[in-house]
Amino acid sequence: VTITLSILMEQFFWCPILYGTFEIPVSTLLNGGSLSTVRREVGAKLNDLLWSNAKIWTLANIAIYNAPVDWRVAIANFVNVIWQIIVSDVAADCGKAEDDT
């Protein structure tokens, strides 16, 4: 029950806040997008990023929470490397003009 609640809270509470108010807006601004494009970028990219998060982290969290304590950091770091590749791909596309892509 605790593992399920932790995963659900992460997926439906924490991740939308983190990605919608920090990850996508900051990436948009750092890539040269304007404040007026932030809302459009969040709307366009948030659902795909949340879906990718669910596919990667749901099984990973089950493995992490059920692994022996000595292995949890190693498993989390391995999955995080894969996750950061996905996030960096999304971040690289934020704020670009349509003719750039």
Side-chain angles (χ1 to χ4, degrees):
V1 173
T2 304
I3 293 169
T4 303
L5 287 175
S6 296
I7 291 170
L8 290 174
M9 205 155 108
E10 175 190 340
Q11 182 65 30
F12 295 108
F13 179 71
W14 175 245
C15 287
I17 292 171
L18 177 66
Y19 302 151
T21 61
F22 177 74
E23 195 73 46
I24 297 170
V26 170
S27 297
T28 300
L29 296 173
L30 289 174
N31 287 335
S34 65
L35 285 174
S36 61
T37 62
V38 168
R39 187 176 204 160
R40 181 174 43 91
E41 290 290 334
V42 170
K45 295 189 174 23
L46 183 60
N47 287 334
D48 290 336
L49 194 57
L50 289 173
W51 180 244
S52 296
N53 180 73
K55 290 191 290 187
I56 299 291
W57 282 106
T58 301
L59 292 176
N61 281 331
I62 291 170
I64 291 166
Y65 293 142
N66 288 306
V69 175
D70 295 341
W71 286 94
R72 289 182 182 182
V73 173
I75 296 169
N77 285 339
F78 175 76
V79 175
N80 199 35
V81 167
I82 296 167
W83 177 243
Q84 289 306 315
I85 292 168
I86 294 168
V87 172
S88 67
D89 186 46
V90 172
D93 289 338
C94 289
K96 291 193 171 188
E98 294 298 322
D99 58 348
D100 287 348
T101 55

